[in-house]
Amino acid sequence: VATLLVYTGLAVMFFLLSFDLIDRRHLTPTDAGLAFLPFTLGVGLLSRPFGLLADKIGARIMLIVGPLGAAFAYILLALGIGAPLTLGVLFPMTLLGVSFAVLVAPLTNSVLSSVGNDDEGLASGVNNTVSRIAQIVGIALAAGVAAYTAGYVASLIVAAVLSAAAAFAIALMLPG
């Protein structure tokens, strides 16, 4: 459930932000791609340390904080539609990268540790399949909502709600 919700929200953002960067902010495709770098670096550089932290303090708190941080980042992106690139995009993308670094390793570990050793491959496959389905759903959702005048902002709010719902689902379903 958390994987579906979190990755649907992420797909909404990834799909729409590139249009915003190129069409509204008039960045070149290369510069638009570079705007995603804070997210990539955050996840790439911080996932391991946060995964180790989750091993020490438990995954539950991180699986709640990560999606809530992502929800806040989506709200900042929505509010930053007219803001300078640094405040309107790069800062929220940095927060999103840190939030996903907090989230990804504990989420994957929780999925894999919820089954016996013989079923870990199956659980990993199901988790990956769910994340791919979430990407398709997110793009379809973003394309549908973005067709309206306030579609960019509304879609990012939907992404925020999905991420917050993931945090809520984790809080309800994952034991303390």
Side-chain angles (χ1 to χ4, degrees), residues 141-166:
L141 183 63
V145 175
Y148 297 99
T149 304
Y152 177 77
V153 172
S155 294
L156 288 170
I157 291 170
V158 167
V161 167
L162 290 168
S163 288

Side-chain angles (χ1 to χ4, degrees), residues 72-133:
F72 186 60
Y74 298 139
I75 295 296
L76 290 176
L77 282 167
L79 294 174
I81 194 166
L85 185 67
T86 304
L87 290 175
V89 177
L90 298 179
F91 175 72
M93 289 300 283
T94 302
L95 175 59
L96 188 63
V98 172
S99 298
F100 265 79
V102 168
L103 168 71
V104 171
L107 180 60
T108 303
N109 190 41
S110 293
V111 168
L112 295 180
S113 66
S114 69
V115 297
N117 289 343
D118 292 342
D119 293 326
E120 283 182 347
L122 176 63
S124 177
V126 169
N127 193 49
N128 280 325
T129 300
V130 169
S131 71
R132 298 308 169 259
I133 291 169

Side-chain angles (χ1 to χ4, degrees), residues 18 21 34 43 49 53 59-60 63 91-93 129 141 155 166 172:
S18 57
L21 294 171
L34 289 173
V43 173
L53 180 62
R60 187 173 194 273
L63 290 174
F91 175 72
M93 289 300 283
T129 300
L141 183 63
S155 294
L172 287 178

Side-chain angles (χ1 to χ4, degrees), residues 49-59 62 102 105-106 109:
F50 282 126
L52 294 172
L53 180 62
D55 290 343
K56 290 181 183 177
I57 68 169
M62 297 182 81
V102 168
N109 190 41

Side-chain angles (χ1 to χ4, degrees), residues 33-44:
L34 289 173
F36 289 91
L37 198 54
F39 173 81
T40 305
L41 289 174
V43 173

